[in-house]
Amino acid sequence: MKIAFSAADEAFRTEVAQWLAEHLQGEFAALRFRGGPGDEHSFPEQRKAWERALAAGGWIGVGWTEADGGRGLSLSRQVIFHEEYARAGGPGRMGHIGEGLVGPTLAAFGSAAQKQRFLPGILSGTQFWCQGYSEPGAGSDLANVQTRARLDDSGEHWLISGQKVWTSLAHEADWCFVLARTQAGSQGHHGLSFLLVPMDQAQIRVQPIQQLTGTSEFNEVFFDQARTASDNMIGLPGEGWKIAMALLGFERGASTLGQQMQFHNELEEIIAVAKRNGAAQDPLMRQRIAQAWAGLKVLRYNSLRMLSGAQDGSLRREAMIYKLAWSNWHAALGKLAMDVLGEEAEVLEGAPYQLSRLQALFLFSRADTVYGGSNEIQRNIIAERALNMPREPRA
């Protein structure tokens, strides 16, 4: 675990901070601290333009190998980039799914032709992706996927039918990676395949889901014989589970330190409110703020332990506790924000109702312990995969 950076790394930190300060101005000034979780519906076109600006500056694919078109930066410098990006208020990334999930998965499992076709669009900030995993009956229990795909009579296209849900920014995406059942009669982890599907077709319908926050960055996606070319499958038929799990491992990469810097920004805002309205004078409130600060430090150190291993999509034991840890910490932070605000937490000026940042934090964080694998599922993963305890009985 590395908790310090070299002088050269710190010089790189200065370079990143200066570039962000220079570019988060003018047309992009309004994007600072916008577009994150619970706010992903904001400024979609401007944030797509921001992706192109990042690409022009060489800030997409910083951790990808040079052979795949990236910069091949060390893990230390990847961490620095993500931390400084969040510190500067860099907007929520429209290209995160492509850069952080699809790109590394293609690099690890894709064919040369697939990498040549798809990686340049991600690196240039011009091609956007969404994730087709969860379904109405297969959220935390991803092995229960029922979306099906079969080859057409020509053998040239997969025909996909089914429904995905909670699909972030599906209405803005050009492509979706879809976990689908390609082997008739298969169950559980078996018979699943990993398909890359173009979104611009009449056989795909995207329906927004409005949330407590009043926003609708999540969607239901319906596939009715949607088509994708037969060579748009990563890996072989039936290897979908292996590839899907590796992708979730890539999700726990260096960007987790950026997520924590966003949490730090939220905590700093809570502290500022507490000082302003007198809540900081309450010893119990000060104790809760101190606990939140200490908890965030623990998240950082565990992430550094997690990142000290191989970055190949495999999940070390340290990685298996990360989602459970951060989601519960963040949900508690949302409650702390409301308690610090006091009466102000429950009051809005009037229609049209615009939530404050801390109100939106509270409402959105209610879902943290459910999406991406509920607390119950996360505890099963820790018990069964990290501690090698007996598997939970299955019906």
Side-chain angles (χ1 to χ4, degrees):
M1 179 176 65
K2 183 177 181 181
I3 59 175
F5 298 96
S6 69
D9 286 338
E10 293 299 341
F12 175 74
R13 185 186 298 277
T14 300
E15 176 191 345
V16 175
Q18 288 178 344
W19 189 92
L20 289 165
E22 292 169 2
H23 288 79
L24 282 171
Q25 299 185 40
E27 63 176 312
F28 298 129
L31 300 184
R32 294 184 70 245
F33 298 103
R34 299 302 304 272
D39 190 41
E40 290 177 295
H41 64 291
S42 299
F43 304 105
E45 293 306 316
Q46 295 94 321
R47 284 162 55 211
K48 287 181 179 180
W50 173 248
E51 292 291 326
R52 296 191 291 272
L54 286 172
W59 300 115
I60 296 181
V62 293
W64 294 13
T65 67
E66 293 182 10
D68 290 324
R71 292 179 60 175
L73 295 186
S74 67
L75 185 57
S76 296
R77 296 195 181 188
Q78 292 175 56
V79 168
I80 286 171
F81 171 75
H82 289 293
E83 287 187 331
E84 291 307 310
Y85 186 89
R87 193 193 310 274
R93 294 287 307 280
M94 293 290 289
H96 166 68
I97 298 293
E99 181 185 5
L101 280 68
V102 179
T105 303
L106 279 166
F109 299 101
S111 67
Q114 288 171 335
K115 288 189 277 189
Q116 185 176 14
R117 179 180 182 188
F118 292 110
L119 295 185
I122 297 172
L123 287 167
S124 63
T126 57
Q127 189 178 84
F128 300 97
W129 290 78
C130 61
Q131 174 174 288
Y133 274 13
S134 295
E135 299 183 4
S140 295
D141 186 11
L142 191 57
N144 198 37
V145 161
Q146 297 300 310
T147 294
R148 300 186 180 275
R150 64 175 179 85
L151 283 171
D152 64 9
D153 293 339
S154 71
E156 295 181 355
H157 292 88
W158 290 99
L159 302 179
I160 305 155
S161 295
Q163 178 185 356
K164 298 294 181 179
V165 71
W166 309 119
T167 311
S168 299
L169 296 177
H171 58 298
E172 299 287 350
D174 304 300
W175 287 81
C176 181
F177 57 88
V178 176
L179 191 63
R181 202 164 290 282
T182 54
Q183 180 181 338
S186 63
Q187 295 182 348
H189 303 167
H190 306 289
L192 297 171
S193 297
F194 195 99
L195 296 165
L196 310 179
V197 182
M199 293 292 288
D200 186 15
Q201 52 180 302
Q203 294 80 11
I204 296 178
R205 179 167 63 89
V206 177
Q207 181 171 304
I209 300 171
Q210 186 167 335
Q211 302 160 84
L212 279 172
T213 55
T215 64
S216 53
E217 62 264 29
F218 293 130
N219 302 270
E220 293 180 279
V221 183
F222 300 89
F223 301 86
D224 183 11
Q225 298 288 288
R227 301 168 69 86
T228 194
S230 59
D231 58 0
N232 283 344
M233 175 184 288
I234 299 184
L236 299 173
E239 291 187 335
W241 184 259
K242 176 184 74 174
I243 295 169
M245 292 301 100
L247 180 142
L248 294 178
F250 292 126
E251 187 176 25
R252 291 165 168 82
S255 62
T256 58
L257 277 298
Q259 177 195 48
Q260 290 168 28
M261 183 56 70
Q262 293 169 354
F263 293 165
H264 171 81
N265 292 340
E266 292 168 346
L267 179 56
E268 287 293 302
E269 185 170 352
I270 292 169
I271 292 171
V273 171
K275 291 178 176 179
R276 185 179 70 241
N277 68 8
Q281 301 303 312
D282 181 340
L284 292 179
M285 201 67 73
R286 288 202 308 273
Q287 182 179 30
R288 289 175 62 190
I289 290 171
Q291 288 172 334
W293 181 89
L296 188 55
K297 290 296 183 182
V298 171
L299 288 178
R300 174 179 172 79
Y301 293 140
N302 188 67
S303 290
L304 291 170
R305 285 199 306 161
M306 179 175 74
L307 293 170
S308 65
Q311 300 300 299
D312 58 1
S314 60
L315 287 179
R316 302 181 63 191
R317 289 190 296 178
E318 294 86 350
M320 294 178 193
I321 69 174
Y322 183 69
K323 203 281 176 172
L324 182 69
W326 77 253
S327 60
N328 284 276
W329 181 91
H330 199 230
L333 187 74
K335 180 65 166 59
L336 174 62
M338 293 300 94
D339 291 343
V340 165
L341 283 170
E343 294 179 355
E344 183 184 342
E346 301 182 29
V347 177
L348 292 171
E349 290 187 4
Y353 298 108
Q354 296 293 323
L355 297 172
S356 70
R357 278 163 47 99
L358 294 185
Q359 289 170 326
L361 161 65
F362 170 71
L363 290 176
F364 192 85
S365 64
R366 299 308 87 195
D368 283 346
T369 57
V370 178
Y371 71 79
S374 67
N375 276 358
E376 293 76 13
I377 292 294
Q378 296 302 317
R379 291 189 177 101
N380 281 350
I381 291 172
I382 294 167
E384 296 172 8
R385 297 176 61 185
L387 301 177
N388 294 317
M389 295 176 69
R391 292 179 61 84
E392 179 185 33
R394 307 287 179 176

